[in-house]
Amino acid sequence: MKHVMRMPVFLMAMLLAGCGGENFGYAISLNSGSAPLTPLVPIGTPGFGTNALPSAVYLNRPSIIQTDDRLSVYVLDGFGSTIRRIAPNGTTTTLHQEAGISGMAVSPNGEVFFTAAGTVRRLVQPGISEVIAAGLGNPQRMAIDDRGILYVIDGPVVKRITQSGLITPLFQMPVQQPIAAIAAGRDALYIASNASIYRWTEPGRLSLVTTNDAGISDITADVLGDIYFTDYTPSVTDPRFASGTVKQLRRNGDILLIAGSRTYAGYADGPGLAALFNAPSGIAVAVNGIVYVADTLNHVIREISLSGQVRTYAGRGG
């Protein structure tokens, strides 16, 4: 890691004064226990709402987020039980409901794949899926490359799965380094384990790329080959809160803090370094460069513009 940009003092002062964000909800310091820095308002409204415009949809702990080349956004919601698609015009559609979905990947043309009950499945149409690979032990998060090949975390092993169902184990991580997330880059796989990012290339070379200052919750790659990831640090006094950030790992090795705070958990839209998250667990970058974040404990999807502005894209925020 060469360089990490942090929140300037003047922005933190604005935040504490209550004017740092356009949609200021609350802020809580993880260093001072559970006493809020501003009047505490609802953390966002969880629920299992019906299809609606994004601002009217109730989300419940959204965890995984993906995009396609048509700029639709896909989210795994409802404690891993509901896959939803948000079209560019704002129409939100429930595509599938099933308990125990643990991973999701979306191809550039909008094909949806997910892991559940030891299988990898393709969504054929809303509510109907087909198994393309079975017999897996404990499949979790997954990724898809531009050739349509799937990569699935199955316990400590990363497996490659073709559309025809051929399963090939690629590599295994040590027990003390559980794999949190995986991303398919232009010419490599990127793996998040604890607070580290690894790069895997054919014919089997695994190398450490960088180490972060907090546990990484998700990782993704954009069309240029830059890596983006989310991290969060749970409060030791209140399980409702976990400070979180969104970062970019550039090709030169620099890490850029895009949005969020390492110290404060909360809900605030506005300039990236004044925005607050609460346990961000999923991240995706659309082909137009817009970043989407599953802000899990705020029960919303956040959008980060090219200029670094953070706004609530979907869900009933605080």
Side-chain angles (χ1 to χ4, degrees), residues 11-85:
L11 277 176
M12 181 59 75
M14 290 172 62
L15 181 59
L16 298 180
C19 60
E22 298 169 357
N23 183 15
F24 194 89
Y26 70 92
I28 179 171
S29 172
L30 269 65
N31 294 333
S32 61
S34 59
L37 298 174
T38 61
L40 188 63
V41 300
I43 301 175
T45 309
F48 297 92
T50 57
N51 297 339
L53 292 176
S55 61
V57 170
Y58 286 94
L59 301 177
N60 196 326
R61 296 201 178 205
S63 56
I64 298 176
I65 193 164
Q66 299 273 288
T67 61
D68 64 23
D69 283 354
R70 293 171 289 191
L71 302 181
S72 290
V73 175
Y74 301 76
V75 58
L76 177 61
D77 181 38
F79 287 90
S81 67
T82 304
I83 297 174
R84 288 178 169 152
R85 179 182 62 213

Side-chain angles (χ1 to χ4, degrees), residues 229-253:
F229 61 94
T230 51
D231 63 29
Y232 64 82
T233 302
S235 168
V236 296
T237 59
D238 193 329
R240 297 177 303 162
F241 302 104
S243 65
T245 68
V246 179
K247 295 172 181 173
Q248 180 189 34
L249 173 62
R250 293 181 166 176
R251 282 163 285 175
N252 65 2

